[in-house]
């Protein structure tokens, strides 16, 4: 009994800082956002009516959904491919993992500045295109290329991060299972799809949902490089919240958007728990 109490106290002491951080940096701001969204001078739900009647907000939701639909499969498939490759017996495999993960250790603003230089009309990417005899591209100044440019930037940051979770998942697969598949005559592709992938379901689902949430919250690259343009093509929901709060000064409407975004995130997390396989 004494041991259980000591273990519980030790666990509480270790979890305490994280719980305090969640309380003050997640729960308190969420409650404050709800309170502010209901404090509109025109009525409790006037801010929500104003937001849903605003084409700019509805367009930002559509752009965010499009962005998520495009970026998630790209990031997860690339992270999975790299994780499988970098769990093989390759020379300097630890160095390659570190180099691929390194962008995740940089602040997103720093990554945005680096890619902003790359995407400049007179930048390195257009220099390479010119050397190959190809026409220069507008990149971030084109409404058709700006969103793909943000996707490349965000993926450069995120792929290495998600790869590490999948590397850990691959290493948790029992070696006996893979050896048994080889003995049964299964080739690499059959082993991957019939043995490896099913056992990687939990890490993949976690990465899918966590990546979705992270992409709903993308802000720094948009604010740094495009300011939602050109022609609102990169006006993601987090940037729209920022504009409404700090440019137009409509805090109740910005808080309403924040609460709507929170509901979307909670819905995604709920789907995660429903999709997660049981432990048996």
């Amino acid at each position: 009994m004494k041991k259980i109490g000591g273990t519980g106290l030790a666990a509480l002491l270790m979890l305490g800082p994280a719980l305090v951080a969640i309380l003050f940096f997640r729960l308190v701001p969420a409650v404050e956002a709800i309170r502010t969204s209901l404090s509109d001078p025109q009525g409790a739900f006037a801010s929500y009516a104003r937001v849903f009647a605003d084409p700019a907000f509805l367009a930002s939701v559509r752009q965010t959904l499009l962005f998520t639909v495009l970026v998630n499969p790209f990031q997860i498939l690339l992270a999975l491919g790299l994780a499988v490759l970098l769990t093989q017996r390759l020379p300097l495999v630890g160095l390659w993992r570190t180099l691929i993960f390194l962008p995740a250790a940089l602040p997103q603003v720093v990554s945005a500045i680096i890619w902003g230089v790359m995407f400049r009309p007179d930048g390195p990417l257009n220099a390479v295109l010119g050397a190959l005899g190809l026409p220069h591209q507008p990149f971030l100044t084109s409404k058709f290329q700006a969103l793909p440019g943000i996707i490349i930037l965000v993926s450069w940051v995120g792929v290495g991060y998600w790869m590490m979770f999948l590397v850990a998942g691959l290493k948790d697969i029992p070696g006996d299972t893979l050896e048994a598949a080889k003995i049964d005559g299964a080739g690499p592709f059959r082993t991957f799809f019939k043995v490896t992938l099913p056992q990687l379901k939990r890490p993949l689902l976690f990465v899918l949902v966590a990546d979705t949430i992270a992409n709903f919250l993308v802000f720094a690259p948009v604010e740094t490089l495009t300011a939602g343009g050109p022609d609102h093509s990169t006006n993601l929901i987090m940037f729209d919240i920022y504009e409404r709060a700090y440019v137009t000064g409509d805090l109740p409407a910005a808080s309403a958007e924040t609460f709507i975004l929170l509901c979307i995130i909670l819905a995604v997390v709920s789907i995660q728990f429903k999709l997660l396989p049981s432990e048996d």
Side-chain angles (χ1 to χ4, degrees):
M1 214 49 185
K2 194 171 183 182
K3 185 178 179 184
I4 294 174
T7 303
L9 179 61
L12 183 61
L13 288 173
M14 287 188 287
L15 291 173
L19 294 174
V20 170
I22 290 172
L23 175 65
F24 284 100
F25 295 109
R26 291 290 185 266
L27 298 181
V28 171
V31 172
E32 180 61 20
I34 296 170
R35 188 195 68 78
T36 305
S37 72
L38 298 174
S39 64
D40 193 284
Q42 298 177 10
F45 294 98
S47 59
Y48 290 91
R50 190 161 61 254
V51 162
F52 281 113
D54 187 353
F57 168 69
L58 298 177
S60 74
V61 173
R62 287 195 297 270
Q63 283 300 104
T64 304
L65 291 173
L66 173 64
F67 173 76
T68 305
V69 167
L70 292 175
V71 74
N72 279 16
F74 178 69
Q75 285 189 356
I76 293 169
L77 288 174
L78 189 54
L80 178 59
L82 288 170
V84 171
L85 179 64
L86 296 179
T87 49
Q88 309 301 313
R89 294 179 180 177
L90 299 176
L92 302 174
V93 67
L95 175 62
W96 290 115
R97 283 185 201 162
T98 302
L99 291 175
I100 294 170
F101 176 78
L102 192 59
L106 298 174
Q108 280 201 355
V109 173
V110 175
S111 298
I113 292 171
I114 293 171
W115 278 95
V117 173
M118 298 283 287
F119 285 133
R120 283 168 56 104
D122 57 349
L125 290 179
N126 270 327
V128 171
L129 291 176
L132 295 174
L134 299 173
H136 284 197
Q137 298 300 314
F139 294 124
L140 299 179
T141 59
S142 164
K143 69 177 182 179
F144 301 108
Q145 296 182 13
L147 191 64
I150 298 295
I151 289 173
I152 291 171
L153 191 164
V154 172
S155 299
W156 184 70
V157 173
V159 164
Y161 183 74
W162 304 122
M163 177 196 74
M164 298 305 291
F165 287 97
L166 297 177
V167 165
L170 287 166
K171 286 183 172 294
D172 280 342
I173 298 175
D176 305 354
T177 308
L178 299 175
E179 193 62 35
K182 288 181 182 178
I183 292 172
D184 288 343
F189 287 100
R190 187 178 174 190
T191 300
F192 177 75
F193 286 105
K194 296 294 185 180
V195 179
T196 303
L197 206 55
Q199 302 223 24
L200 205 60
K201 187 176 181 181
R202 290 183 69 87
L204 271 173
L205 284 171
F206 166 77
V207 167
L208 171 64
V209 176
D211 189 35
T212 300
I213 294 171
N215 289 324
F216 270 113
L217 302 179
V218 167
F219 169 72
V222 175
E223 197 275 336
T224 304
L225 296 180
T226 64
D231 197 21
H232 303 288
S233 60
T234 60
N235 185 35
L236 304 182
I237 189 168
M238 279 299 296
F239 183 77
D240 197 70
I241 292 171
Y242 163 80
E243 287 267 294
R244 203 174 293 271
Y246 297 106
V247 177
T248 64
D250 192 349
L251 285 177
S255 299
E257 285 193 32
T258 303
F259 180 65
I260 293 166
L261 178 59
L262 176 63
C263 290
I264 294 171
I265 291 173
L266 289 175
V268 172
V269 172
S270 299
I271 293 171
Q272 175 191 26
F273 284 111
K274 288 183 179 179
L275 291 178
L276 282 174
S278 60
E279 294 290 343
D280 52 10

